[in-house]
Amino acid sequence: QGWRVTAVDASETAIQKLTQRAAERGVAIQAQVADLTGPAFALPPETFDLIVVAYYFQRDLFPLLKSALRRGGVVLAIVHTMEKGERPNENRAAAGELRSIFAGWEILHYYEGPSRDPAHHRPVAEIVALAAAGDLGIKNVDGQAEGCAGDVDQHVTHSGVASRKETLQKFAARSYKSSAGQNRQPFP
């Protein structure tokens, strides 16, 4: 069960912690330190079923992420937004900006407002966006993955009935509850 996971972060410390935690749990991942702002950073086109962006906002990265998705792929993004009275800047999304980036996509979940994650005190925008109508081509691979990707895959694998779109909508609803602090399982 699980997904093949590729993790990218500019922080060497974050990647080291991630690979250590994955190894402790017997989860195989590919992790790399990369400068997402540099001209050398690239993602192969039409490769990923799911891309997660967590608390990182870089406007020129989103077209690259979109092109890296397979048909029917999903982007789950949580970005910090500007606080009232704050001047626009490159690290914070303006009100409605994240939704506008995904204009024409099917929005499975959208939220803007105070962060419901106690580790983040700035306001956020959250989106789960489906690239195209139809089922998401999720494939099982060897190894296990914990967390959101594993939950989605496990639901699809074991139910065999619900469409993947329905599964992602349920996942988005669970994510909403988790980010609100309900049923939240900390990742040590």
Side-chain angles (χ1 to χ4, degrees), residues 58-118:
Q58 179 185 327
R59 286 172 182 85
D60 63 353
L61 183 61
F62 284 96
L64 177 64
L65 299 178
K66 289 175 168 184
S67 70
L69 282 175
R70 289 186 176 136
R71 180 180 168 86
V74 172
V75 170
L76 183 155
I78 303 171
V79 301
H80 287 122
T81 57
M82 290 181 266
E83 296 193 47
K84 215 171 209 162
E86 186 178 6
R87 292 186 111 108
N89 66 64
E90 72 251 10
N91 300 317
R92 310 281 182 248
E97 185 174 7
L98 187 60
R99 182 183 283 272
S100 70
I101 289 171
F102 292 95
W105 287 43
E106 185 172 353
I107 307 302
L108 304 176
H109 166 79
Y110 191 78
Y111 168 80
E112 272 191 37
S115 176
R116 297 167 295 202
D117 181 339

Side-chain angles (χ1 to χ4, degrees), residues 92-162:
R92 310 281 182 248
E97 185 174 7
L98 187 60
R99 182 183 283 272
S100 70
I101 289 171
F102 292 95
W105 287 43
E106 185 172 353
I107 307 302
L108 304 176
H109 166 79
Y110 191 78
Y111 168 80
E112 272 191 37
S115 176
R116 297 167 295 202
D117 181 339
H120 293 269
H121 304 288
R122 297 187 62 85
V124 296
E126 305 171 353
I127 196 163
V128 178
L130 181 65
D135 288 344
L136 178 63
I138 300 171
K139 297 178 183 144
N140 286 336
V141 296
D142 293 331
Q144 285 193 336
E146 293 181 7
C148 61
D151 290 345
V152 172
D153 190 55
Q154 189 172 28
H155 180 79
V156 172
T157 302
H158 295 293
S159 75
V161 176

Side-chain angles (χ1 to χ4, degrees), residues 37-54:
T37 64
F41 181 73
L43 291 172
E46 299 181 22
T47 302
F48 300 98
D49 294 310
L50 172 67
I51 295 177
V52 177
V53 178

